[in-house]
DNA sequence: AATGAATGAGTGTTCATTCAT
DNA sequence: GATGAATGAACACTCATTCAT
């Protein structure tokens, strides 16, 4: 069951993401995924034990990938605002560039496929963000609210804006991004 | 003659929302909906031509209901901040109290069930919000950014926070809500 | 269960015949029959215990009606050829004027609805025809073949010709009918 | 790789014919066909897109097969009566030996399955018969009636006789067949 | 490993029949 | 009696999964 051909597993992932974006988790079949990935249905089952495992596996991959992106160029030694801005922009860019993955992850949360353990395991990846926010609070640079609340405030506005931009077929320019960041910062700053 | 029972359509809606929250759009069957609504499978098809129409219909109902809630107690004559706060709280409360509907609407956007026309028709309902934001900009009370961006900033943070609170099994207290509003207001105010 | 309103039972029969002609026995539902007859589905079951009984009942009615028509103006005292021709024309006219019934009867023979007893019961109705043919043979006016064979020869050509005419949307004129009769007569005459 | 099995499509056809003879088009289900053909229900749908296509396809196959049989041993160079008799006997034998197919074709004409185009396409197959009859008329060997009328006269008596023989469980002997042919010939000869 | 035909449980939907009004 | 909403078994069809090649 361990995939020989890594490229093929990747093709399957890509096919799945593309179909989920187009039709939602509710609408995809193993047959369609196979066709989209240019392989036979049976081949899917060489790489993934079943549909649930394919979805869970892709979910994990996406979560890990996103975590990796989030902390690109980020150093714990940075001044708080620099670090925060770095991550904020990473988050925005991830959502824009890998929109499909973001949609997929969103859809997964309310699906019968994703197991609780899979959800748990992916939480830990974002610990560094928690620490950053905590340090910001200690330095009294940002409001002394619940950390998770501050984070969801930050993430929520990004997610929603990117979604809107995507469906309205509108680009998020450098200037718009800067405006968005300013709003977010004004919202959380002390 | 047994007249068609309006309550029954409502039961079907409720059953659907409950199941979608529990298992996602991907996981529900007409049989389950019927069982949850305490009716026979065939009866579903008296009230809705097919699954797609049931989902679309429920989508429209939810959208209309949410729009109605959003503008409760809101008067165009109110001072801007009062009006904005009124709607902000309406939005928050809607998301909290009718979490199922919110989840359902989110799931629908990437589903094969919702037709484009259904999506279009529901957009218009939120026009008053646009006007409010515009007037806020004219009075120079809030930042002069794109209206939609300001709105998604507002909505995004609410949505994400409520989602998080729900899944973490945490209540949003009066104090937390007020903190959330403050962050939102600080973010958009001029 | 004994129908109060004879007209209504007749409406049901007519609706059934019309639908069978249009879509075949395979394609009709009790709901459609009711709609075509302008009554409610439930009402069907006041007049007929179930679908099978409706079909069987209609089958019997048609058979009896056709038998009645076949022997119109026929007298056993007639010279053989006159009698034969009378019946031959009755048969032809029946098939033309009540094409729907003929189609229905044909379809019934290979359907799961008609019971064997129903088939048996309708056979007896055509005894007078057998006698006529027998007498023709005795008078050495027609070939001394098996009676049933002579009869099916006669009936078969009529049935097929009417069917063809109907589907080709062509009328059977007086002249054509006479030609047809001549062929039949030449075929069986001694 | 397991290649698609041509024999299987044939098994499906045979199962369908057998069931149609036994219960009529009205009474057969895809599940029964599958069981009769010793395959799984899903397998049916590999070979035929849906029930309608299965029926249409079988209809076409039967029609083509029958056309092929009709003209066996027939040569346009034959004297008219020899040619006519050859085809007449082919027709008779086809109806006897492949009674199931004949029943099926008859049932199809009034079914919701057979499309108009399918009906059209099969008409052309019988052109050679038309030519034969026309030549017979030119040689003044047979009556100068409408060609189609002559043909339906011929076909009708055969069809009906075979049907009757089948249901009466009676064999059509060589002698009976010859008698039948004689009647037909006497009927059409000039 | 790769294929896609084969499987059959499961899904959406229909429809004969019943039942409350 | 008449109605048509309600029922649920049965149907056409799908699709995750297996298997022969």
């Amino acid at each position: 069951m361990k995939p020989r051909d890594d490229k093929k597993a990747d093709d399957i992932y890509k096919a799945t993401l593309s179909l989920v974006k187009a039709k939602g988790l509710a609408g995809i079949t193993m047959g369609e995924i196979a066709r989209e990935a240019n392989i036979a249905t049976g081949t899917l089952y060489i790489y993934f034990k079943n549909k649930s495992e394919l979805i869970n596996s892709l979910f994990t991959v996406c979560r890990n990938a996103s975590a990796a992106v989030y902390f690109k160029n980020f150093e714990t030694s940075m001044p708080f605002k620099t670090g925060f801005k770095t991550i904020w922009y990473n988050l925005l860019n991830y959502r824009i560039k890998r929109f499909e993955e973001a949609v997929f992850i969103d859809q997964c949360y309310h699906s019968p496929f994703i197991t609780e353990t899979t959800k748990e395991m992916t939480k830990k990846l974002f610990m560094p963000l928690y620490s950053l926010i905590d340090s910001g609070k200690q330095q009294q640079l940002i409001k002394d609210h619940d950390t998770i609340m501050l984070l969801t405030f930050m993430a929520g506005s990004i997610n929603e804006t990117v979604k809107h931009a995507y469906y309205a077929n509108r680009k998020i320019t450098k200037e718009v991004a800067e405006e968005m960041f300013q709003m977010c910062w004004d919202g959380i700053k002390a």
Side-chain angles (χ1 to χ4, degrees), chain A:
Chain A
M1 176 111 39
K2 275 289 147 313
R4 209 86 300 236
D5 186 349
D6 266 5
K7 190 193 163 301
K8 208 155 276 186
D10 226 61
D11 286 349
I12 295 169
Y13 284 147
K14 274 190 192 121
T16 308
L17 288 174
S18 163
L19 287 169
V20 168
K21 191 184 68 175
K23 325 171 62 184
L25 254 186
I28 57 169
T29 69
M30 293 298 266
E32 278 177 318
I33 294 172
R35 203 175 319 120
E36 182 84 12
N38 283 314
I39 58 173
T41 334
T43 312
L44 274 185
Y45 288 83
I46 293 164
Y47 291 85
F48 301 94
K49 206 176 70 201
N50 53 40
K51 189 176 185 178
S52 177
E53 203 181 275
L54 162 57
I55 303 292
N56 272 278
S57 191
L58 177 53
F59 182 82
T60 305
V61 164
C62 289
R63 266 304 199 202
N64 292 353
S66 72
V69 170
Y70 287 177
F71 300 109
K72 210 176 61 174
N73 299 326
F74 171 72
E75 312 273 341
T76 42
S77 57
M78 286 172 165
F80 174 76
K81 193 175 173 180
T82 317
F84 182 80
K85 194 166 187 174
T86 303
I87 293 177
W88 191 94
Y89 265 98
N90 283 340
L91 234 151
L92 177 70
N93 284 324
Y94 173 77
R95 283 267 160 178
I96 292 172
K97 280 191 199 139
R98 302 168 84 157
F99 184 72
E100 283 177 343
E101 295 182 23
V103 165
F104 174 73
I105 287 171
D106 280 1
Q107 293 250 323
C108 280
Y109 272 108
H110 281 280
S111 89
F113 297 115
I114 298 300
T115 61
E116 281 309 311
T117 50
T118 304
K119 284 183 196 168
E120 294 299 325
M121 274 172 14
T122 53
K123 261 187 197 168
K124 298 176 217 149
L125 292 165
F126 300 95
M127 281 305 166
L129 242 177
Y130 288 57
S131 312
L132 178 71
I133 295 296
D134 283 340
S135 107
K137 286 199 283 189
Q138 272 171 354
Q139 297 171 57
Q140 298 190 320
L141 296 171
I142 60 176
K143 296 188 169 97
D144 189 27
H145 295 163
D146 178 67
T147 304
I148 288 179
M149 208 180 84
L150 290 161
L151 279 175
T152 51
F153 175 81
M154 167 197 183
S157 58
I158 292 179
N159 294 353
E160 200 79 8
T161 309
V162 173
K163 248 191 269 177
H164 239 283
Y166 182 85
Y167 290 119
N169 219 5
R170 198 176 289 187
K171 268 229 158 169
I172 293 179
T173 62
K174 243 184 152 64
E175 291 74 29
V176 167
E178 191 56 31
E179 286 174 4
M180 283 171 67
F181 175 73
Q182 197 59 50
M183 285 201 289
C184 184
W185 179 254
D186 288 347
I188 67 162
K189 80 160 179 241

